Amino acid sequence: MRYGRTVPVTEAAELPPAPEEARAVFGEFFPEAVRYAELLADAGVKRGLIGPREVPRLWERHLLNCAVLSEVVPQNVTVCDVGSGAGLPGIPLALVRRDLKITLLEPLLRRTTFLQEAVELLGLDHVTVVRGRAEEVLGKLQPVHVVTARAVAPLDRLAGWGVPLLRPYGEMLALKGGTADEELVAAKVALAKLGVVKTSVLQVGEGVVDPLSTVVRVEVGESPGGVRFAAKRAKAARAGRVRRRR
């Protein structure tokens, strides 16, 4: 007789109190940040969006690590958070930057359901949740000034999804780990084909997170996504005009 493997039951970890740095970073919206952390620790774990082992380090590794991205996001711009998942980095960024108009782009229904619930719970009127893949919404979403992403894919693949969503002279800001420089070197040819004109690696979060958050900045010229995506965007725009006439 064959027996099935016994799967151990993991007890829910307890969310630790918010560190003092969180009060300083989130300011008047600190209570909303606490609600979001509690939501991630509860529904986020139950729905498989966050691993239970991540709960004890939700503040430092996730919320604060993402919120400090605001240091390099320009004022009063549009942002698309690609592969938003549980809302990281989009929701922490939205909590500290009410001047931004943010789209959380995510293909999976269970995740977009969670994101919509979080946006409504936190009163984030400047945030919109869109279900879909980046390549599917090209030409349907208005091009944005900034694309953000975290732990979605290697840089060359991530840029292929995010860069075409940018306006001319926009930028993609990707939260990366210690391999940021190596990924930039490996993606050099792919980035050039996508119309990227400048890249840099930034360290943000001084006095807030340790280690500092690493951000890869990818800046485009007048043709985000390159020639191939310019043609694809134009085709999608024409199809949209035809649908609106009907």
Side-chain angles (χ1 to χ4, degrees), residues 3-64:
Y3 294 92
R5 187 177 58 179
T6 301
V7 179
V9 177
T10 304
E11 292 185 6
E14 185 177 348
L15 178 69
E20 285 303 312
E21 292 85 354
R23 294 181 181 274
V25 169
F26 292 103
E28 64 179 301
F29 298 105
F30 172 71
E32 284 80 5
V34 172
R35 288 191 201 104
Y36 178 51
E38 292 171 345
L39 187 64
L40 287 174
D42 185 9
V45 171
K46 291 175 181 175
R47 301 186 196 181
L49 277 70
I50 290 286
R53 292 182 181 179
E54 295 301 310
V55 173
R57 49 186 182 177
L58 267 178
W59 284 107
E60 289 83 0
R61 184 181 174 89
H62 297 286
L63 272 75
L64 289 173

Side-chain angles (χ1 to χ4, degrees), residues 187-234:
K188 183 177 180 180
V189 173
L191 294 176
K193 290 180 179 179
L194 289 167
V196 172
V197 296
K198 185 179 179 181
T199 62
S200 53
V201 177
L202 312 172
Q203 300 289 324
V204 297
E206 183 72 41
V208 178
V209 290
D210 184 17
L212 298 178
S213 298
T214 301
V215 181
V216 174
R217 173 183 271 158
V218 171
E219 301 173 62
V220 299
E222 61 183 16
S223 299
V227 175
R228 181 165 65 93
F229 283 98
K232 190 173 182 179
R233 256 195 308 271

